Amino acid sequence: MSDADAAATTATAGGRSQEGTPDLIAVVGATGTGKSEVALALAERLRSSGRPAEVVNADAMQLYRGMDIGTAKLPLEDRRGIPHHQLDVLAVTDEASVAAYQRDARADVERITADGGTAVLVGGSGLYVSAVLFDLAFPGTDPELRAELEREHAEHGPNALLARLRALDPVAAADVDARNPRRLIRAVEIASRSEVVTPRLPSAPRAWRPARVLHLHRERSGLVASLHARAERMFRDGLVDEVDALREDGLEDGRTARAAIGYSQALDVLHGRATTAEAVEATAVATRKYARRQVSWFKRYDAELVDVSGADVAGLQAVARRIVP
């Protein structure tokens, strides 16, 4: 499907839209598909037509202050005067919470739309995007249970926890990345509690409010090449220095930020566990795996598939012009 064909169809998070454009537009897709540029161009198109528009970030790692190079966060001077929300709201020592993000991002959307504007939600963190678009409930934490599970993981490794998760919630066990201790422990914590929760995207999610959802797609071979070039560019642009500075802010004490793609590899360089070339390659491999998971997540959305294969900045801006004439 071409981007022109895809842009001719309007969808909402829960089905087909009514006449007119919803006041919430989501731009989703894998890393490296040009989401930020499309979101900016859409906001500019809306504002030029007299309709206020602001951007709401849905990239979990861009929530962190100082994590700029490795997350491809747009610098302030490149935001073209368009207000952005949910950027730089956490310290690197904080643990990101999708429940807190849901509350705060939805508040941003409601404020923007209450003033007659359009909120442009943009990001590739599937659960964070879904937390805004759909009626998902997230459980609180149980500090005592969490500490117990952390001790068990430290003493016995992931296999025992994974076996417990399979018994409690086979679907969650099939989805979880058992190599990620934080996610495995959280999945077991959720499954061990009695309340009904929806930490994953249901097969037929119910929309929080009408939204137009644009799923950007690039042909795989081109995306793979661009992701490797992106990893090289991050390290060339000073990612190791950025990470070294963030260590003074407690990066290595945080649970979430230190594990971000690129940041954990840069820490390996700083600790002498890898060369820069090895870190670049490891980052590129991790990013490709993450992009595959993103594609799998977003393909379940009832969304407009917008093919941006081969599109440069001008091509992405042309996509926005077709979506908002």
Side-chain angles (χ1 to χ4, degrees):
M1 179 185 292
S2 70
D3 53 12
D5 292 336
T9 305
T10 300
T12 71
R16 298 297 126 187
S17 74
Q18 304 299 320
E19 290 186 3
T21 301
D23 54 12
L24 173 59
I25 301 175
V27 182
V28 306
T31 297
T33 51
K35 297 183 296 295
S36 294
E37 179 59 42
V38 170
L40 270 178
L42 287 172
E44 285 186 311
R45 297 289 298 172
L46 289 163
R47 290 162 74 92
S48 67
S49 68
R51 184 169 186 177
E54 301 181 13
V55 172
V56 180
N57 166 57
D59 181 313
M61 293 302 108
Q62 290 191 8
L63 297 171
Y64 287 99
R65 288 187 292 275
M67 292 178 61
D68 302 329
I69 296 172
T71 66
K73 187 185 298 175
L74 280 177
L76 182 61
E77 60 270 21
D78 292 342
R79 297 175 195 171
R80 304 174 196 166
I82 297 170
H84 282 59
H85 307 276
Q86 298 306 309
L87 293 175
D88 302 322
V89 296
L90 297 177
V92 292
T93 51
D94 294 333
E95 183 170 1
S97 162
V98 69
Y101 169 80
Q102 180 187 59
R103 177 197 65 218
D104 296 340
R106 284 185 173 185
D108 288 329
V109 170
E110 289 176 332
R111 181 191 53 74
I112 294 166
T113 57
D115 292 337
T118 298
V120 182
L121 181 73
V122 57
S125 298
L127 191 57
Y128 282 67
V129 174
S130 298
V132 176
L133 293 180
F134 304 113
D135 277 340
L136 301 184
F138 298 93
T141 59
D142 183 331
E144 292 185 3
L145 176 59
R146 173 76 65 88
E148 176 187 333
L149 295 173
E150 289 174 345
R151 285 194 299 269
E152 183 174 342
H153 187 279
E155 293 175 5
H156 304 293
N159 290 339
L161 288 182
L162 187 58
R164 188 190 305 185
L165 184 59
R166 288 194 185 105
L168 292 168
D169 188 341
V171 176
D175 287 345
V176 75
D177 180 0
R179 296 168 297 180
N180 186 319
R182 182 178 62 84
R183 292 186 178 177
L184 176 59
I185 289 167
R186 179 60 172 156
V188 176
E189 179 189 357
I190 291 171
S192 300
R193 301 177 66 178
S194 60
E195 63 263 37
V196 176
V197 298
T198 53
R200 300 181 302 276
L201 185 64
S203 58
R206 184 174 59 195
W208 171 54
R209 62 188 292 158
R212 186 175 186 182
V213 184
L214 310 172
H215 178 188
L216 305 191
H217 167 78
R218 284 190 187 274
E219 187 271 328
R220 177 160 176 75
S221 61
L223 180 60
V224 167
S226 71
L227 293 179
H228 195 280
R230 174 189 176 122
E232 291 180 327
R233 185 170 59 252
M234 284 162 44
F235 280 84
R236 185 174 63 247
D237 289 349
L239 178 60
V240 173
D241 290 337
E242 178 176 279
V243 171
D244 195 22
L246 288 171
R247 288 200 296 176
E248 297 182 8
D249 296 329
L251 175 65
E252 292 177 291
D253 297 325
R255 294 176 181 272
T256 309
R258 70 183 181 194
I261 295 174
Y263 289 82
S264 61
Q265 289 79 11
L267 283 170
D268 285 341
V269 173
L270 290 167
H271 286 290
R273 297 188 291 259
T275 65
T276 298
E278 290 169 338
V280 168
E281 182 60 28
T283 299
V285 169
T287 306
R288 290 198 298 269
K289 291 179 179 178
Y290 179 53
R292 284 198 296 270
R293 294 196 298 273
Q294 290 174 300
V295 170
S296 296
W297 183 280
F298 292 123
K299 73 192 300 185
R300 294 176 289 176
Y301 282 18
D302 180 16
E304 301 173 42
L305 187 63
V306 182
D307 191 347
V308 294
S309 300
D312 56 10
V313 171
L316 295 172
Q317 292 172 345
V319 168
R321 287 195 297 272
R322 284 189 286 271
I323 293 167
V324 180

